[in-house]
Amino acid sequence: MQNNSIFSLSKRLLAVFMLVSFVFLLIIVRLAYVQLAKSKWLQSKALEQWQRELPLNALRGEILDCNRAILATNYSTYDIYVRPSMVSDAKSVTYILSKTLGLDFDKVYKKVTDRFVSESLIKLQVEKSTAMNIKEKNYSGILFSENNSRYYPYGSMLTQVLGFTTIDNVGQAGLEAYYNKYLTGVKGYVLEQSDVKGVKIDNTLSTYIPSIPGLNLELTIDINIQRFVEEAMELLIDEQKPKKASIIVMNPNSGEIVSMATSPNFDLNNVPRDDVSKLMETIKNINIVDVYEPGSTFKCITMANSIEEGVAHLSDTFYDPGYRIVDGEKIKCWKLTGHGHQTLSQGLCNSCNAVFVDLSLRLGKDKMYEMFKKFGLGSPLGVDFLGESGGIIMNYDSAKIVDVARMGFGQAVAVTPLQLITSICSIVNGGKLYKPYFVRTMTDVDGNIVSQTNPTVIKNTISQKTSDIMKTMMEDVIKQYSGYYAFIPGYHVGGKTGTSQKYDGNRLSGEYIASFVGTFPADNPDYVVLVVVDEPGGASYYGSIAATPYAKKIIEKIIDYKKYAPSADLIKDIIQANDTVKMPNVVGLSPADAVRVIEEAGLQVEIQHEGNIVHSQFPAPDTELSKNSIVMIDLQ
């Protein structure tokens, strides 16, 4: 009996020992887990208890033009915080902050007295002078973190290209948004040891973790040429009073965008944030985002492709009675009486719709749609910019033969201005369709190149032989058709005008888009200029009047800026250009008599609308003009 009791007691003691050992084992395992596996986490939590951090915002990268002129930079501002545990006079602190910063007293007071938070942000990007006024009061609990705000030295120039940032320096539009992650940089911190109330402990070390500045962007934009473009745009807006207008200058031999402007715009240093919908509409870069029917400027693409495909030859002749009948539908030429007999080159010079209907039908539906792909139409080109549109090409299966006929002269197809100018660039550069781009290099704060963009050929469009033919034909357009408004005496310039009626399910009466694309020098272009004017309100909606003069002004200034010498074979034109004639008064005359009088005066004439009598003219009678200038008469 006694042995059983001893045995029973031993079992109990063993059970207790095992239980205690298991508990201690659990404790040891837990301690080991805490000490080893969770040590870093615990250390970080401990640091949070006795350290306070003040952020050091990284300097945002600068944006520069191709000459390294600064387009977007920074200036010092301060972010103001409050640390409630350090505030000794809450009402005084609240008063100075709310009064100086223009904030609501009660809202600031709530932050100043909220001891459940370590720090509260009072306001971002306070001007240095204002921040120093607060700092001079020497109130405890107010903290200052140096920040930087964006500054654009050229104000409203390049509004849609550069874009802008939010108040906390995050890119919100334009290149600022597209390249935001490269421009932003990495934040730094100042770490201070503090007591349980968050008050800094005297005689302790502060840890400084420096910020890393963002990368700088060097653009393909030339600010000098941009200034020429902006001046031309200002004149265009004043004279034509359009709904919108846009201009692009591109280097055809690389895809570099040399200049780009859109109107309306605004000063990037004073972003109108009070009307968000209007702001988003104005900041939209219509050169890249919006599409339009290009009209006659598109004829250069159809002509180039027709020659390349062997369906058109310089020896071909055409007859234009003023229209073509396709699938039972009458397609009118802009000149209702027709151009009569003409060569292929004259078809482009006269911008004859009938000729381009013929070329479209010769190409046929399949080759027309192959042309769209070849010239980068119908899909984005891949420019380094947000929101690029691919244009609108009618579904292949839905397109009728009459639609294909209209596509040849720039109707029933919609493109972006960027797509149009990129296609024209390929026509005059030997057939290389380059990918357009804005950023040439990205460099770090020490000037080291981190990334570099090289010209990229997307596709080959035409042969060098066809390109040479097109350059000659486009110069002939300027010489024989567009006259003085586009031709610059002493220099070879090529180009093509365009006028298209806006379309919204139906042709919109009285709503037109005028355009002009120019190439300089015509025989080996360094620049291609595109001007697009949406609903011009001047004397005429034709491209030759509403768009061409402004491209001419840009090219003239580029000639002076880049110091192009006159061509020896055109020196005589400089002398002839000084001869002037006066615009005759033809109001009230019949169209035939008006044309005769104008041509006898040594001028060229374009006729607007239909009618039996001249209702108005442009320019006014007795205006002095150079010989061969184009004038406009309006019939009724």
Side-chain angles (χ1 to χ4, degrees):
M1 191 72 176
Q2 187 176 2
N3 290 335
N4 290 338
S5 297
I6 293 171
F7 182 73
S8 178
L9 180 61
S10 297
K11 289 175 65 177
R12 290 175 183 173
L13 288 173
L14 180 61
V16 170
F17 176 77
M18 294 293 290
L19 180 62
V20 171
S21 298
F22 181 70
V23 170
F24 271 99
L25 181 62
L26 288 177
I27 292 172
I28 291 169
V29 171
R30 177 62 179 169
L31 286 172
Y33 172 73
V34 170
Q35 291 284 343
L36 300 175
K38 301 288 286 184
S39 60
K40 291 186 178 180
W41 180 80
L42 287 169
Q43 287 174 1
S44 67
K45 297 300 288 184
L47 285 172
E48 289 179 9
Q49 294 290 325
W50 70 70
Q51 280 191 340
R52 294 290 180 266
E53 65 180 37
L54 199 62
L56 297 174
N57 292 299
L59 197 66
R60 191 171 178 85
E62 293 185 324
I63 302 178
L64 308 97
D65 86 329
C66 63
N67 305 306
R68 299 198 63 78
I70 296 174
L71 306 178
T73 187
N74 311 286
Y75 67 96
S76 292
T77 56
Y78 288 83
D79 297 341
I80 298 180
Y81 299 81
V82 67
R83 189 171 290 170
S85 60
M86 296 176 60
V87 174
S88 57
D89 187 348
K91 287 189 176 179
S92 295
V93 167
T94 303
Y95 178 78
I96 190 67
L97 289 176
S98 59
K99 182 181 179 182
T100 307
L101 301 177
L103 302 174
D104 181 79
F105 183 92
D106 292 335
K107 290 181 179 178
V108 174
Y109 186 75
K110 185 177 180 180
K111 291 183 178 180
V112 170
T113 57
D114 187 359
R115 307 242 169 185
F116 290 100
V117 296
S118 173
E119 292 169 359
S120 291
L121 174 66
I122 300 300
K123 192 171 183 179
L124 290 170
Q125 294 187 342
V126 177
E127 296 293 330
K128 184 176 181 179
S129 59
T130 304
M132 292 303 101
N133 286 338
I134 296 173
K135 195 169 186 178
E136 287 172 0
K137 306 299 180 184
N138 204 27
Y139 284 110
S140 60
I142 303 177
L143 305 175
F144 302 84
S145 175
E146 188 172 0
N147 197 352
N148 56 86
S149 296
R150 215 58 169 153
Y151 176 67
Y152 303 92
Y154 292 93
S156 60
M157 289 175 66
L158 291 162
T159 297
Q160 291 79 10
V161 172
L162 296 177
F164 54 86
T165 63
T166 62
I167 193 169
D168 50 354
N169 260 350
V170 176
Q172 197 169 12
L175 295 176
E176 292 275 27
Y178 188 89
Y179 285 97
N180 183 64
K181 67 179 180 180
Y182 301 104
L183 290 163
T184 299
V186 180
K187 285 186 177 182
Y189 298 93
V190 173
L191 301 175
E192 298 176 342
Q193 292 187 15
S194 60
D195 61 19
V196 69
K197 293 183 178 180
V199 179
K200 182 181 178 181
I201 300 173
D202 292 335
N203 300 319
T204 57
L205 295 175
S206 296
T207 303
Y208 174 72
I209 302 174
S211 60
I212 302 174
L215 298 177
N216 299 321
L217 307 182
E218 183 181 313
L219 306 187
T220 58
I221 296 290
D222 186 324
I223 196 61
N224 296 304
I225 294 178
Q226 182 69 29
R227 186 180 290 107
F228 306 153
V229 167
E230 299 277 357
E231 290 170 355
M233 178 71 82
E234 186 177 348
L235 183 63
L236 187 158
I237 298 301
D238 180 60
E239 294 180 345
Q240 301 299 328
K241 298 174 176 56
K243 181 180 178 181
K244 293 179 182 179
S246 60
I247 302 175
I248 307 175
V249 180
M250 185 177 281
N251 180 343
N253 305 306
S254 65
E256 292 184 341
I257 299 170
V258 178
S259 173
M260 183 177 284
T262 298
S263 181
N265 57 7
F266 56 83
D267 187 344
L268 289 170
N269 298 308
N270 187 24
V271 179
R273 302 180 192 270
D274 52 334
D275 188 338
V276 176
S277 60
K278 184 177 180 180
L279 171 61
M280 290 299 101
E281 180 63 25
T282 307
I283 195 62
K284 182 172 65 173
N285 193 334
I286 60 177
N287 282 304
I288 296 174
V289 177
D290 283 1
V291 299
Y292 74 111
E293 284 193 353
S296 294
T297 52
F298 194 83
K299 291 173 180 175
C300 295
I301 300 174
T302 303
M303 179 65 78
N305 198 58
S306 298
I307 295 172
E308 183 69 19
E309 294 294 334
V311 301
H313 306 86
L314 292 177
S315 59
D316 290 351
T317 58
F318 302 82
Y319 180 77
D320 170 31
Y323 62 88
R324 285 287 189 269
I325 304 293
V326 181
D327 284 350
E329 293 189 32
K330 188 175 185 179
I331 301 176
K332 297 179 181 179
C333 184
W334 67 269
K335 187 175 182 181
L336 299 179
T337 56
H339 292 96
H341 290 283
Q342 55 194 331
T343 64
L344 183 70
S345 181
Q346 287 172 334
L348 185 65
C349 289
N350 296 328
S351 198
C352 178
N353 289 352
V355 169
F356 286 88
V357 168
D358 291 351
L359 294 179
S360 299
L361 297 178
R362 289 183 187 182
L363 282 168
K365 187 175 178 180
D366 288 344
K367 287 193 180 295
M368 283 292 286
Y369 274 78
E370 287 173 10
M371 179 184 80
F372 298 147
K373 289 182 180 179
K374 185 165 58 175
F375 281 90
L377 309 176
S379 58
L381 293 167
V383 65
D384 48 342
F385 205 88
L386 295 174
E388 183 191 5
S389 172
I392 301 173
I393 303 297
M394 189 180 297
N395 183 274
Y396 178 87
D397 294 329
S398 302
K400 302 175 183 177
I401 297 302
V402 68
D403 297 319
V404 173
R406 288 194 172 97
M407 290 174 184
F409 57 88
Q411 286 187 5
V413 58
V415 300
T416 65
L418 183 64
Q419 285 179 318
L420 192 282
I421 193 172
T422 304
S423 295
I424 299 297
C425 283
S426 77
I427 289 172
V428 298
N429 71 12
K432 296 179 176 64
L433 187 74
Y434 283 102
K435 179 180 178 180
Y437 63 100
F438 285 104
V439 174
R440 183 179 287 174
T441 61
M442 288 193 283
T443 58
D444 62 20
V445 69
D446 297 319
N448 300 310
I449 296 177
V450 176
S451 175
Q452 183 168 336
T453 305
N454 296 313
T456 303
V457 177
I458 303 173
K459 292 177 182 176
N460 291 306
T461 57
I462 58 175
S463 65
Q464 183 65 56
K465 181 180 178 181
T466 301
S467 178
D468 291 340
I469 292 171
M470 286 302 303
K471 286 185 285 188
T472 300
M473 292 177 75
M474 290 178 71
E475 184 174 7
D476 288 342
V477 171
I478 299 302
K479 289 179 179 177
Q480 301 175 25
Y481 178 68
S482 293
Y484 172 77
Y485 279 108
F487 179 64
I488 300 171
Y491 297 89
H492 291 279
V493 180
K496 184 73 186 75
T497 59
T499 307
S500 59
Q501 192 171 11
K502 295 177 76 172
Y503 183 83
D504 186 16
N506 295 296
R507 294 291 161 189
L508 301 177
S509 178
E511 297 184 17
Y512 295 88
I513 295 178
S515 59
F516 173 79
V517 60
T519 63
F520 175 78
D523 54 344
N524 188 23
D526 294 323
Y527 298 95
V528 176
V529 181
L530 175 64
V531 179
V532 181
V533 186
D534 188 349
E535 295 186 28
S540 171
Y541 54 76
Y542 282 113
S544 56
I545 301 296
T548 305
Y550 310 100
K552 172 183 178 291
K553 290 181 182 299
I554 294 167
I555 295 172
E556 284 178 326
K557 291 188 176 181
I558 290 175
I559 288 171
D560 291 339
Y561 169 49
K562 294 294 183 177
K563 295 180 171 52
Y564 281 94
S567 298
D569 60 321
L570 296 178
I571 294 294
K572 64 181 187 303
D573 294 329
I574 299 176
I575 301 171
Q576 292 175 355
N578 294 323
D579 295 336
T580 60
V581 296
K582 287 187 176 181
M583 174 66 184
N585 186 355
V586 295
V587 174
L589 298 181
S590 68
D593 288 341
V595 169
R596 177 180 52 78
V597 170
I598 290 170
E599 290 181 345
E600 286 177 353
L603 301 168
Q604 298 185 70
V605 61
E606 283 191 1
I607 301 173
Q608 189 167 270
H609 301 128
E610 299 179 50
N612 300 316
I613 192 170
V614 177
H615 172 66
S616 61
Q617 66 179 60
F618 177 81
D622 296 328
T623 300
E624 286 197 356
L625 301 167
S626 294
K627 283 185 177 180
N628 205 37
S629 294
I630 293 180
V631 299
M632 182 71 62
I633 58 175
D634 194 357
L635 307 182
Q636 74 169 19

